[in-house]
Amino acid sequence: MSNDEIFAAAYREHYWAVSRYVARRLVGRADEVEEVVAEVFTVAWRRRADLPATPLPWLYGVARNCLANAVRGYGRRRRLLDRLGNDEAAHGRHIVDSPDAEAPGGWVHEALARLSPADQEVLRLAAWEELGAEEIAMALGCGRRAAVMRLHRARQRLKTQIDRLRPSTAVDALPSRGFGHG
């Protein structure tokens, strides 16, 4: 198969997985998802000769870099809007949830949000993308042992945060696949 055919197969097979990966990391910014996904596959097209036999973890690694660029760009735009005094609240788009509006499993997301971005990412790769250690290593650009250790430590830190938020019920409700040790 030619590099073009390999790229086309990877695009067809993994477009939606990459889209979901990006969308889960750009919550509330759906307008940017397609832009980032397009950038991921633009990079993949340019580097189609480098596509590995199992391209999804590699594409996740590319997506991580594209997301980092998007987040930096979003921050720059936010700071510019703040300096200009043209924020969303001034236009009546500021929405406040009611005090009793807690999303199901919201405490898990709160515990996850308390972790470092690196811990969040390795846990998401394991739980959301359902990657194994070898694939996580490829997505993170590190060795297998380092990926296993990062995942183990991130799980421990997540458990600590969950215990702080829900000392009596959190551990029982923790999913065994992805976030737990199962």
Side-chain angles (χ1 to χ4, degrees), residues 20-80:
R20 287 187 303 271
Y21 174 93
V22 171
R24 284 190 286 257
R25 285 153 179 84
L26 289 177
V27 175
R29 294 168 39 202
D31 54 320
E32 294 181 56
V33 172
E34 286 185 40
E35 199 172 304
V36 172
V37 173
E39 181 62 24
V40 169
F41 283 102
T42 299
V43 170
W45 171 257
R46 283 190 216 123
R47 297 186 54 203
R48 61 191 178 277
D50 299 333
L51 278 172
T54 307
L56 186 58
W58 184 86
L59 289 168
Y60 287 155
V62 172
R64 286 181 68 233
N65 294 331
C66 292
L67 281 163
N69 290 337
V71 167
R72 282 191 297 273
Y74 178 77
R76 285 190 299 269
R77 286 189 300 278
R78 249 339 292 155
R79 287 188 299 278
L80 176 61

Side-chain angles (χ1 to χ4, degrees), residues 51-112:
L51 278 172
T54 307
L56 186 58
W58 184 86
L59 289 168
Y60 287 155
V62 172
R64 286 181 68 233
N65 294 331
C66 292
L67 281 163
N69 290 337
V71 167
R72 282 191 297 273
Y74 178 77
R76 285 190 299 269
R77 286 189 300 278
R78 249 339 292 155
R79 287 188 299 278
L80 176 61
L81 286 175
D82 289 344
R83 281 196 308 267
L84 295 173
N86 189 17
D87 64 5
E88 293 172 353
H91 294 283
R93 287 183 270 176
H94 186 72
I95 298 170
V96 178
D97 287 336
S98 69
D100 59 345
E102 183 178 328
W107 55 270
V108 174
H109 293 289
E110 184 180 339
L112 187 63

Side-chain angles (χ1 to χ4, degrees), residues 4-24:
D4 293 355
E5 293 168 326
I6 292 169
F7 168 82
Y11 179 85
R12 279 191 308 274
E13 188 173 339
H14 301 300
Y15 176 85
W16 291 111
V18 171
S19 293
R20 287 187 303 271
Y21 174 93
V22 171
R24 284 190 286 257

